[in-house]
Amino acid sequence: MDNVTGRTTEMPSPFSPFKLGPLTLRNRFIKAGANEGMTPDGMPTKALVKHHRDIAAGGVGMTTVAYGAVSAQGRTFRHQLHMTRGVVRHLRVLTDAVHAEGAATCLQITHGGSFSMLKPARGYPRTASSGFNAFGFLHGILFQKAMDEADMHRVVNEFAESAMLAREAGFDAVEIHMGHGYLLNQFLSPLSNRRRDRYGGSVEARSRFPAMVLRRVKDAVGGRMAVTCKLNQTDAARGGIDAEQAAVTAKILERDGADMLTLSGGHNVYSPWALFGSPMPIDDMRAHARGLSRIGPWVLGLQQPKDLSFRELYFLESARRIRKAVSMPLALVGGVKSLSSAERVMEEGFDAIALARALIHDADFVNKLADGRLLHSGCTSCNRCVMGIYDPNGVRCVLNGANDPLLARALPAD
C-alpha cells in the first residue's frame, strides 16, 4: 500500500479489467476524445458510427465521442455535435454498435465559451472575463463578456441536461471537458480568468464553477453513468495552469465525486502544439485558412518551439504530481504509441491509458498489442489527422486510404 495515496502498489496489466464508477471496462485502454469532424449540421453520420465501431472492435475498453456541445451557443464551429433530443436516436445507433463489439461508450460534453468561430445572435460570447477575444478576433468576434451567476446556472443545467440525454442515447459515461481552452478551462486558467469575485483569484475560487458543473451532472446521472473530467495539468504557457495548481483542482474534483480524471495539457490558443507533443501541420493549416484566420497559422509558426520533437508520455512528469495528490482513478493521455509505454503508465500508478492518434492510424491497435502482432504504432505524430475536422469525410490518418465519402451522410431519420 502506498502511504501517500492509500492505493495498492501492485501493478495491473493494461489488459486487465478496470472499475470506473458503476462500469467495469474490459481493459484499461480508452479512446480519448478527439474531434472526428463527422457531424455535418450537428448530426451523427454513418462515418461516425463506423469510426467508433471499428475502434471498439479493435479492442479498447471504452471509446469517447468528442466535443458534444451542451447547447448551440456552446459550439466552437458550426458542424459540431450539440445535444438535443433530436440527436438522441442517432447516437443510439452508435452506442448500440459499440456495445455489440464489447466496449463501453463515453460522450465528451463541452462548452466553447469564447473559443468559438460563431458570432452570437447578439452581444458577445460569454466566458470567465470580459475583454479582447484573442481567438474570436480571427473570426470577426472582437470581444467577450464575463458570465454572471445567471449565465453560470444556465450552463450548469445545460451540462446536466446533456448528460441525461447522453444516458438516454445509451452512453455509459460522460467526460466533462475542463481543458484545452474551452469554457471550463477559461475559468480554471489564470490566462483567461481575471475575475475579482468568488470565481476568480485563488485556484480554489477558479475551480468553483467547474466543480459546480461536476456536482450538477453527478446529481443528474450519478450512479447510473460514470462521470469523468478532462483536466489540464498544464496550459504549457507562461502564466497558465501548472501541475501544482492542477493538483489543487484535482483534489476538489475528487471531493465532489468525479469517477476519474483524464490528465491532458496544452491550450488551443496559447500552445496548441503542446496537446500533441509534436509540431502542428502549419502548411496544411495555412492552406485551409481564409480571411483573418490566415493570421493564426502565421502566429503559430512564430510561437511554436523550433526544437519540438515527439517523445512518448510527454505529460508524465507533470502528471506524477497529481498522482501523488489524489487517490482517485486517473487516466494519462499524451503519446502512448507502444506496449512499453502502456505498461509504463501502469507502473507509474495510473489507472487507464487514453490515446487517440494511434487508434486513428490503426483501429485494431489494442488487439495487436494484446496478441503480439505489434509492439509499436506506425503513427508518425505528424498531426495531419487534426485537419480532418475540416474535411467533409472526417478525420483520417494520411498514411492510410481516404474515408468513404458515402459514409459522410447523416443517419436515416428512422
Side-chain angles (χ1 to χ4, degrees):
M1 187 74 69
D2 188 301
N3 292 328
V4 176
T5 66
R7 296 166 53 82
T8 178
T9 55
E10 182 179 347
M11 188 190 84
S13 163
F15 303 102
S16 63
F18 171 43
K19 187 77 166 61
L20 176 60
L23 307 177
T24 299
L25 306 184
R26 63 185 175 186
N27 61 45
R28 294 163 185 267
F29 290 94
I30 296 173
K31 165 62 171 66
N35 191 354
E36 304 94 346
M38 296 173 177
T39 54
D41 302 317
M43 297 300 291
T45 58
K46 295 177 181 179
L48 187 69
V49 174
K50 181 181 186 300
H51 179 73
H52 287 282
R53 182 184 61 230
D54 289 351
I55 288 171
V60 298
M62 183 166 73
T63 185
T64 305
V65 177
Y67 298 127
V70 298
S71 66
Q73 294 73 31
R75 294 174 297 167
T76 293
F77 38 85
R78 196 166 304 282
H79 62 281
Q80 183 177 357
L81 171 71
H82 70 279
M83 295 305 290
T84 63
R85 182 154 298 281
V87 81
V88 167
R89 66 183 184 274
H90 301 292
L91 288 173
R92 171 65 76 166
V93 176
L94 185 154
T95 59
D96 285 348
V98 169
H99 290 152
E101 300 294 347
T105 55
C106 176
L107 178 68
Q108 187 180 70
I109 51 178
T110 188
H111 192 297
S114 61
F115 187 71
S116 178
M117 302 176 183
L118 307 177
K119 291 182 180 181
R122 61 178 184 275
Y124 301 109
R126 299 301 176 103
T127 181
S129 301
S130 297
F132 176 69
N133 186 342
F135 178 77
F137 164 74
L138 300 176
H139 306 280
I141 310 168
L142 300 183
F143 301 104
Q144 57 194 31
K145 184 173 175 58
M147 295 175 71
D148 58 25
E149 294 264 2
D151 293 323
M152 291 183 209
H153 285 292
R154 172 177 48 79
V155 170
V156 164
N157 287 331
E158 288 171 350
F159 270 94
E161 290 163 6
S162 294
M164 290 188 286
L165 288 173
R167 180 173 180 270
E168 189 175 333
F171 285 94
D172 306 288
V174 289
E175 179 181 75
I176 303 170
H177 203 328
M178 298 185 178
H180 301 172
Y182 297 98
L183 176 64
L184 299 183
N185 176 262
Q186 290 160 27
F187 272 81
L188 287 169
S189 177
L191 292 171
S192 45
N193 188 336
R194 299 176 296 278
R195 299 177 75 102
R196 297 179 181 273
D197 62 4
R198 68 196 200 98
Y199 298 99
S202 68
V203 181
E204 291 83 358
R206 286 184 272 120
S207 301
R208 184 167 279 122
F209 176 49
M212 186 190 308
V213 170
L214 169 62
R215 292 194 303 272
R216 181 71 181 87
V217 170
K218 286 287 290 188
D219 287 345
V221 301
R224 296 169 292 177
M225 301 179 77
V227 178
T228 74
C229 304
K230 176 168 272 190
L231 183 69
N232 262 24
Q233 55 193 303
T234 173
D235 286 337
R238 181 178 297 177
I241 293 169
D242 57 22
E244 183 176 353
Q245 295 175 52
V248 174
T249 300
K251 290 178 183 178
I252 292 169
L253 299 176
E254 180 177 40
R255 178 200 70 194
D256 287 351
D259 292 309
M260 183 178 72
L261 304 181
T262 297
L263 302 180
S264 187
H267 194 290
N268 284 324
V269 176
Y270 299 100
S271 56
W273 59 85
L275 277 71
F276 306 100
S278 53
M280 298 296 290
I282 293 176
D283 289 343
D284 287 6
M285 296 172 75
R286 284 178 179 143
H288 170 80
R290 299 289 183 272
L292 277 176
S293 66
R294 291 191 179 105
I295 297 173
W298 176 73
V299 172
L300 176 60
L302 295 176
Q303 292 179 323
Q304 184 168 267
K306 304 305 180 190
D307 60 349
L308 182 64
S309 60
F310 178 83
R311 60 184 176 88
E312 292 195 65
L313 303 181
Y314 48 85
F315 286 133
L316 178 58
E317 289 83 357
S318 53
R320 285 174 176 147
R321 181 169 296 189
I322 300 170
R323 178 67 287 169
K324 291 180 180 178
V326 298
S327 59
M328 68 185 299
L330 298 176
L332 182 62
V333 71
V336 174
K337 295 204 302 184
S338 65
L339 180 59
S340 60
S341 286
E343 292 173 339
R344 178 76 181 278
V345 172
M346 298 289 100
E347 290 170 2
E348 293 277 350
F350 298 94
D351 303 87
I353 301 132
L355 65 168
R357 284 170 292 178
L359 295 170
I360 292 170
H361 173 69
D362 184 355
D364 207 31
F365 179 59
V366 174
N367 281 342
K368 289 178 179 178
L369 291 182
D371 64 19
R373 281 179 287 163
L374 201 64
L375 293 177
H376 197 285
S377 171
C379 169
T380 63
S381 305
C382 70
N383 300 326
R384 293 182 65 193
C385 56
V386 175
M387 301 308 296
I389 65 176
Y390 304 110
D391 186 329
N393 298 319
V395 70
R396 70 180 183 92
C397 178
V398 297
L399 302 179
N400 300 333
N403 292 338
D404 184 349
L406 295 179
L407 297 178
R409 301 172 179 173
L411 293 167
D414 296 321

